[in-house]
Amino acid sequence: NAGVTQTPKFQVLKTGQSMTLQCAQDMNHEYMSWYRQDPGMGLRLIHYSVGAGITDQGEVPNGYNVSRSTTEDFPLRLLSAAPSQTSVYFCASSWSRDRVGSPLHFGNGTRLTVT
Amino acid sequence: GQQVMQIPQYQHVQEGEDFTTYCNSSTTLSNIQWYKQRPGGHPVFLIQLVKSGEVKKQKRLTFQFGEAKKNSSLHITATQTTDVGTYFCAGPGAGGTSYGKLTFGQGTILTVHP
């Protein structure tokens, strides 16, 4: 199993450009999520999905869109990139069938710079 | 909303010294998870604590969950250079359909000097 695969690893955008960060998992996990990591702020939840066709906002959703058409894929779209979106983005997945929760499996991350 | 606070933000130790990071929540947690992120890497799950007062050990790492289930700690005995990285605690989101989503602490960056 490849686990959680993120592409690209690095990306540089100009302000106003749009792009999609790809995330795929092959573990048949119900739950998928996107986090951004900034120095001193830990990991902040952007959007998450509890199954195909179901998405919801996390702590910092503004400027990002997601969709979940299949169990495997959970792309993150930046609509109009801003310098404040310069960050490292992690996709994660887990079984999470109940409130006790289950471990998150993270992808290797995408380092995004917006100039 | 729920907040998970983690201290210290940085810790520099000499190899062989002990290290502890603390995690405090504004609300009672049903469980708490700990992750380690090596420099340039991604977070990797270490352990989950569920019961009040629970203590779990993994070799030199000792994890504790407070009696009130609002705080937790990770203690490393006799640090090694392989322990370098950022340690995160994470608690589940509150109510509704938010099962599974985690709120992370800010992390503690551990540096070990040989």
Side-chain angles (χ1 to χ4, degrees):
Chain A
N1 287 350
V4 180
T5 303
Q6 283 185 243
T7 56
K9 290 185 178 181
F10 301 94
Q11 183 71 50
V12 178
L13 292 177
K14 295 184 186 297
T15 297
Q17 287 185 317
S18 62
M19 78 158 295
T20 299
L21 280 62
Q22 301 293 342
C23 176
Q25 54 90 10
D26 61 358
M27 298 174 282
N28 203 31
H29 284 171
E30 287 186 325
Y31 177 82
M32 296 186 74
S33 56
W34 278 100
Y35 286 87
R36 61 176 288 173
Q37 183 174 26
D38 303 290
M41 303 190 74
L43 294 149
R44 292 183 293 168
L45 183 64
I46 305 171
H47 285 285
Y48 66 99
S49 168
V50 299
I54 305 170
T55 63
D56 206 347
Q57 296 181 349
E59 179 185 357
V60 288
N62 292 340
Y64 308 94
N65 272 357
V66 292
S67 60
R68 184 98 180 266
S69 56
T70 66
T71 300
E72 294 78 20
D73 300 299
F74 191 46
L76 177 72
R77 281 181 286 277
L78 278 70
L79 309 173
S80 177
S84 60
Q85 293 179 305
T86 294
S87 187
V88 180
Y89 292 84
F90 287 101
C91 179
S93 72
S94 73
W95 286 109
S96 191
R97 286 181 176 274
D98 56 48
R99 287 181 178 274
V100 176
S102 57
L104 285 177
H105 298 257
F106 284 85
N108 289 332
T110 296
R111 187 173 296 274
L112 175 69
T113 302
V114 182
T115 61
Chain B
Q2 176 184 302
Q3 289 189 336
V4 177
M5 306 300 292
Q6 193 173 350
I7 57 169
Q9 187 173 357
Y10 302 95
Q11 186 75 56
H12 306 274
V13 300
Q14 290 292 129
E15 190 172 20
E17 291 182 337
D18 292 356
F19 158 76
T20 304
T21 175
Y22 300 90
C23 188
N24 292 287
S25 170
S26 56
T27 60
T28 300
L29 301 169
S30 60
N31 69 91
I32 192 160
Q33 298 180 13
W34 285 91
Y35 291 79
K36 176 183 179 180
Q37 183 179 25
R38 295 182 185 275
H42 60 276
V44 175
F45 174 78
L46 293 176
I47 208 161
Q48 177 173 267
L49 305 172
V50 179
K51 300 177 182 177
S52 170
E54 189 170 15
V55 178
K56 287 188 176 180
K57 293 190 176 185
Q58 290 180 348
K59 298 182 180 178
R60 295 177 294 104
L61 278 61
T62 301
F63 303 84
Q64 292 188 322
F65 201 9
E67 294 290 341
K69 302 183 74 174
K70 296 179 74 173
N71 59 78
S72 182
S73 65
L74 158 59
H75 179 81
I76 302 178
T77 303
T79 55
Q80 300 175 358
T81 55
T82 54
D83 295 324
V84 163
T86 303
Y87 292 85
F88 292 100
C89 61
T97 60
S98 59
Y99 67 87
K101 70 177 189 180
L102 295 179
T103 298
F104 281 80
Q106 298 91 329
T108 296
I109 300 172
L110 173 63
T111 305
V112 180
H113 300 284

